[in-house]
Amino acid sequence: MSPAASRRSATAFAITLLILEIKVPEVGTHGDLWGALGAQWPSYAAYVVSFLVIGIVWINHHQVFGYVALVDRTLMFLNLLLLLVVAAVPWPTAMLAEYLREDEASHVAAAVYSLLMVVVALTFQALWWHLTRTGHLFDPRVDIPAARATRLRFALGSLAYPVTVGLAFVSAPLTLAAHGLIAVYYAFNQVPVPTRD
Amino acid sequence: MSPAASRRSATAFAITLLILEIKVPEVGTHGDLWGALGAQWPSYAAYVVSFLVIGIVWINHHQVFGYVALVDRTLMFLNLLLLLVVAAVPWPTAMLAEYLREDEASHVAAAVYSLLMVVVALTFQALWWHLTRTGHLFDPRVDIPAARATRLRFALGSLAYPVTVGLAFVSAPLTLAAHGLIAVYYAFNQVPVPTRD
Amino acid sequence: MSPAASRRSATAFAITLLILEIKVPEVGTHGDLWGALGAQWPSYAAYVVSFLVIGIVWINHHQVFGYVALVDRTLMFLNLLLLLVVAAVPWPTAMLAEYLREDEASHVAAAVYSLLMVVVALTFQALWWHLTRTGHLFDPRVDIPAARATRLRFALGSLAYPVTVGLAFVSAPLTLAAHGLIAVYYAFNQVPVPTRD
Amino acid sequence: MSPAASRRSATAFAITLLILEIKVPEVGTHGDLWGALGAQWPSYAAYVVSFLVIGIVWINHHQVFGYVALVDRTLMFLNLLLLLVVAAVPWPTAMLAEYLREDEASHVAAAVYSLLMVVVALTFQALWWHLTRTGHLFDPRVDIPAARATRLRFALGSLAYPVTVGLAFVSAPLTLAAHGLIAVYYAFNQVPVPTRD
């Protein structure tokens, strides 16, 4: 198992830890469990969005590393950094779910959530720049000049994340929805690794 | 490690998180620990049933993906969706265990548990339909027309899950028992992937 | 990744969950943290023993499955059962740590801990019997008659576990120590898989 | 999947469990979430440092085991021991974060944290000594006399850890910072496995 594969395992693990943040609702003996469950909707929404976000990072990471033949120390370190921020996602997820319906705190929680996503995107960018800059880490199938040419488009695509930080101060639920949409967008519009024909 | 293998790892993590929902019973200094342990039986029952349910999904997923040679974006997305619902199982498990002996709440908890299983079954169905519809994702051993022919039988088999939603409003313990029986049934009566001879 | 390998991943995960059961001791602002840490010794002892127990099961399982070439449905089911009981270990571990210094409850907690180990041992036995009985699941290196001949010795070795159930009613700390010793014993005196020369 | 690979998986799990120790800060309805988040800085610092420490152990372990062709029982046991101490890291991490700003308790927490790191370093040393002493466990690329010659330098490098135990009684935040620096140092100055040309 390669270190990249281990890292994917760790991502897989981070994704399953998300459910631990959803608590069993407490009701009295004759309490209304349906009502208590309904009141928990921010937890479900945050779970689904964070699951998609981590999942898409995981899939894209897998796609890219399918073309990586060599791992140098910098790549390993960037990989570890990416894991550090992705593994942290359950924490702002729980915080956003808890404060989503409160006035001021909801903006703070949404901003922190968005900021973490900015860091995830930046780390992924750094990884992609390192791979395309060095070139020799890719396997021979990869068209390196074409891969370099994707960098600007890839960077522009990541600009959606800083925008969500601003959006956090408008509306926290909207911010959460935006992250869900970005995840689905990246699921269907990923920058492909260009290969020689 | 293929993405399908990573997903199986994630399932493996989800399955081990189940134990975290069983709490150490609290008794006074001269309290009766045997009694307190006995009173926790819904937790043990829910643990065993959910473990079997996730385990059988895991085994069947493994069986199917042993014949998958290519992964397209839709398959990856369906796989992620299946993981999203399977990874959520610890939460309704804990809820069902907590409310199993209460009047109204037990029916709600059992219904939510059953509804999640309906979604698990639907996602697995979607995955199977996608694989048999496209065909080219399977490796050459698979008899694709025969695989397509299993779809109706496979779908009928999944009808047991909606029935458990109804059963939830009759009896929550019975619903839990039904899920255990369905899991064991699927352990021994899985739809095999048809192969060419 | 084979299902056996997935199962090992799950075991690896169960083993890391053990640490979650050790709580950070609470002391006042000028409280004595050394003292509070010392008072937690049952948690450390239980952590180390359970870690060794799961670890040795993991190593032995790995040793045996290194010779398994085919997996039938019964083997998969026994494997799932073994995982079900091994993954449950963090719960009696936490309970034994909590009640180790209490009079009556310590005996109950130690008995439950030992009973779970009996079930782990029985499941491992069943797995070994199934492998040696069927024979064709092993790869060609294995000397099947010799493997069958180890069954009695292997079963006798497992008799230590029922004895710890009785020991639980004598002394809980002694029971924990016994499990640690058995784990170390099995680390150095494993039944080897007999191979043809 | 080799046992070493399984162990790496387990390390990957331990690393993602760290986030569970960071709690969502509690504020009143009109409370100041920014302030509450800022007050949690010891948790973030401890998370990052422990993540790096485990991550670097993981990377170095991976590096070394890339040259291991055979696994004997002692190596397996040392591996399990290394996992036992690495998997325990989330616990002193949470303790150090909780007591970092308290007078006496901070020194105790930092000393325990440092002591665990001493044990991690000793176990890694023992593993390296066993590999270089036996020699035949390495694959043929390894220059065994040269590998033996690295042992003293490697051991001297580990002397930084006992020093942090002393530093704990001077300042806990400084101790945490020192562990972060050591981790980064080892990320860039690892003892390479000497190979024949």
Side-chain angles (χ1 to χ4, degrees):
Chain A
M1 189 159 70
S2 71
S6 287
R7 207 208 64 88
R8 280 202 297 282
S9 283
T11 310
F13 185 21
I15 219 170
T16 56
L17 289 179
L18 284 169
I19 200 65
L20 296 181
E21 306 291 356
I22 307 189
K23 302 299 171 204
V24 173
E26 285 180 34
V27 297
T29 317
H30 291 280
D32 173 22
L33 187 51
W34 281 125
L37 282 168
Q40 265 194 340
W41 70 263
S43 291
Y44 316 141
Y47 172 77
V48 170
V49 171
S50 289
F51 204 100
L52 289 179
V53 169
I54 302 182
I56 302 306
V57 170
W58 182 14
I59 288 176
N60 284 344
H61 186 272
H62 171 262
Q63 180 98 345
V64 168
F65 273 79
Y67 294 95
V68 172
L70 282 173
V71 176
D72 67 2
R73 201 136 277 254
T74 308
L75 185 59
M76 234 173 197
F77 202 73
L78 287 172
N79 234 342
L80 189 63
L81 217 64
L82 182 60
L83 179 56
L84 187 150
V85 284
V86 168
V89 168
W91 172 71
T93 302
M95 184 162 62
L96 187 51
E98 186 161 336
Y99 292 113
L100 197 67
R101 279 167 305 188
E102 300 199 11
D103 253 8
E104 291 175 48
S106 76
H107 300 303
V108 180
V112 170
Y113 189 93
S114 295
L115 281 168
L116 188 71
M117 296 309 164
V118 170
V119 182
V120 170
L122 282 177
T123 315
F124 212 100
Q125 292 284 331
L127 219 143
W128 186 241
W129 275 76
H130 179 67
L131 280 171
T132 51
R133 191 182 59 76
T134 53
H136 70 280
L137 303 175
F138 278 125
D139 69 31
R141 285 172 300 162
V142 176
D143 180 344
I144 293 166
R148 279 186 191 135
T150 65
R151 296 197 287 198
L152 185 68
R153 187 155 61 91
F154 195 19
L156 286 173
S158 288
L159 283 180
Y161 291 106
V163 170
T164 60
V165 179
L167 190 61
F169 294 98
V170 180
S171 160
L174 225 64
T175 308
L176 187 60
H179 283 290
L181 287 175
I182 296 172
V184 171
Y185 173 84
Y186 273 114
F188 290 99
N189 294 280
Q190 185 205 1
V191 174
V193 179
T195 52
R196 293 172 190 155
D197 294 332
Chain B
M1 189 158 71
S2 70
S6 287
R7 207 209 65 87
R8 281 202 296 282
S9 284
T11 310
F13 310 156
I15 219 170
T16 56
L17 288 178
L18 284 169
I19 199 67
L20 295 181
E21 307 289 358
I22 307 190
K23 303 300 171 204
V24 172
E26 287 179 35
V27 297
T29 316
H30 292 281
D32 172 23
L33 187 50
W34 281 126
L37 282 168
Q40 265 195 339
W41 71 263
S43 291
Y44 317 142
Y47 172 77
V48 171
V49 170
S50 288
F51 203 100
L52 290 178
V53 168
I54 302 183
I56 302 306
V57 169
W58 182 13
I59 288 175
N60 283 344
H61 186 273
H62 171 262
Q63 179 98 346
V64 168
F65 273 79
Y67 294 96
V68 171
L70 283 172
V71 175
D72 67 3
R73 201 137 276 255
T74 308
L75 185 59
M76 235 173 195
F77 201 74
L78 287 173
N79 234 342
L80 189 62
L81 216 66
L82 181 60
L83 178 57
L84 188 149
V85 284
V86 168
V89 168
W91 172 70
T93 302
M95 182 161 64
L96 186 51
E98 187 162 334
Y99 291 113
L100 196 67
R101 279 166 305 187
E102 300 198 11
D103 252 7
E104 290 176 48
S106 76
H107 300 302
V108 179
V112 170
Y113 188 93
S114 294
L115 281 169
L116 188 71
M117 296 309 164
V118 169
V119 182
V120 170
L122 282 177
T123 315
F124 211 101
Q125 292 284 330
L127 219 144
W128 185 242
W129 275 76
H130 179 66
L131 280 171
T132 51
R133 191 183 57 77
T134 53
H136 70 279
L137 303 176
F138 278 125
D139 70 31
R141 285 173 300 163
V142 177
D143 179 345
I144 293 166
R148 279 184 192 137
T150 64
R151 296 198 288 199
L152 185 66
R153 187 155 59 92
F154 195 20
L156 286 173
S158 288
L159 284 180
Y161 292 106
V163 170
T164 61
V165 180
L167 191 60
F169 294 98
V170 180
S171 159
L174 224 67
T175 308
L176 188 60
H179 284 288
L181 287 176
I182 296 172
V184 172
Y185 173 83
Y186 274 113
F188 291 100
N189 294 281
Q190 185 205 2
V191 174
V193 180
T195 52
R196 292 172 190 153
D197 295 332
Chain C
M1 191 159 71
S2 70
S6 287
R7 206 208 66 87
R8 280 202 296 282
S9 284
T11 310
F13 184 22
I15 218 170
T16 58
L17 288 178
L18 283 169
I19 200 66
L20 296 181
E21 306 290 358
I22 306 190
K23 302 301 172 203
V24 173
E26 286 179 34
V27 296
T29 317
H30 292 279
D32 172 23
L33 187 50
W34 281 125
L37 282 167
Q40 264 193 342
W41 70 263
S43 291
Y44 317 141
Y47 173 77
V48 171
V49 171
S50 288
F51 204 100
L52 290 179
V53 168
I54 302 184
I56 302 306
V57 169
W58 183 13
I59 288 176
N60 284 344
H61 185 274
H62 171 263
Q63 178 98 346
V64 168
F65 273 80
Y67 295 94
V68 171
L70 282 173
V71 176
D72 68 2
R73 200 136 278 255
T74 307
L75 185 59
M76 235 174 195
F77 202 74
L78 287 172
N79 234 343
L80 189 63
L81 216 66
L82 182 59
L83 179 56
L84 188 149
V85 284
V86 169
V89 168
W91 172 70
T93 302
M95 183 162 63
L96 186 51
E98 188 163 333
Y99 291 112
L100 196 68
R101 281 166 304 188
E102 301 199 11
D103 253 8
E104 289 177 49
S106 75
H107 300 302
V108 179
V112 170
Y113 189 93
S114 295
L115 281 169
L116 188 70
M117 296 310 163
V118 169
V119 181
V120 170
L122 282 176
T123 315
F124 212 101
Q125 292 285 330
L127 219 143
W128 185 241
W129 276 75
H130 179 66
L131 280 171
T132 51
R133 192 182 56 78
T134 53
H136 70 279
L137 303 175
F138 278 125
D139 69 30
R141 286 173 299 164
V142 178
D143 180 344
I144 293 166
R148 277 184 192 136
T150 65
R151 297 197 287 199
L152 185 67
R153 186 156 60 91
F154 195 19
L156 285 174
S158 289
L159 282 180
Y161 292 106
V163 170
T164 60
V165 179
L167 191 60
F169 294 99
V170 180
S171 159
L174 225 66
T175 308
L176 188 59
H179 283 289
L181 287 175
I182 296 172
V184 172
Y185 173 84
Y186 274 114
F188 290 98
N189 294 280
Q190 184 204 4
V191 174
V193 180
T195 52
R196 291 172 191 155
D197 295 333
Chain D
M1 190 158 71
S2 70
S6 288
R7 207 209 64 87
R8 280 202 297 282
S9 284
T11 310
F13 311 155
I15 219 170
T16 56
L17 287 177
L18 283 169
I19 199 66
L20 295 182
E21 306 290 357
I22 307 189
K23 301 300 172 205
V24 173
E26 286 179 34
V27 297
T29 317
H30 292 279
D32 173 24
L33 187 51
W34 282 125
L37 282 168
Q40 264 194 341
W41 70 262
S43 291
Y44 316 142
Y47 172 76
V48 171
V49 171
S50 288
F51 204 100
L52 289 178
V53 169
I54 302 183
I56 302 307
V57 170
W58 183 13
I59 288 176
N60 284 346
H61 186 274
H62 171 263
Q63 180 98 345
V64 168
F65 274 79
Y67 294 95
V68 172
L70 282 173
V71 176
D72 67 3
R73 200 138 278 256
T74 308
L75 186 58
M76 234 172 196
F77 202 74
L78 287 172
N79 234 343
L80 189 62
L81 217 65
L82 181 59
L83 179 56
L84 187 149
V85 283
V86 169
V89 169
W91 173 71
T93 302
M95 183 162 64
L96 186 50
E98 188 163 334
Y99 291 112
L100 196 68
R101 280 167 305 188
E102 300 199 12
D103 253 8
E104 290 176 48
S106 75
H107 301 302
V108 180
V112 170
Y113 189 92
S114 295
L115 281 168
L116 188 70
M117 295 310 163
V118 170
V119 181
V120 171
L122 282 176
T123 316
F124 211 102
Q125 292 285 330
L127 218 143
W128 186 241
W129 276 76
H130 179 66
L131 280 171
T132 51
R133 190 181 59 77
T134 53
H136 70 279
L137 303 175
F138 279 125
D139 69 30
R141 287 172 299 162
V142 178
D143 180 344
I144 293 166
R148 279 186 191 135
T150 65
R151 296 197 289 198
L152 185 66
R153 186 156 61 91
F154 195 19
L156 286 173
S158 289
L159 283 180
Y161 291 106
V163 170
T164 61
V165 179
L167 191 59
F169 294 98
V170 180
S171 160
L174 226 65
T175 309
L176 188 59
H179 283 289
L181 287 175
I182 296 173
V184 172
Y185 173 84
Y186 273 115
F188 290 98
N189 294 280
Q190 184 204 5
V191 174
V193 179
T195 53
R196 291 172 191 154
D197 295 332

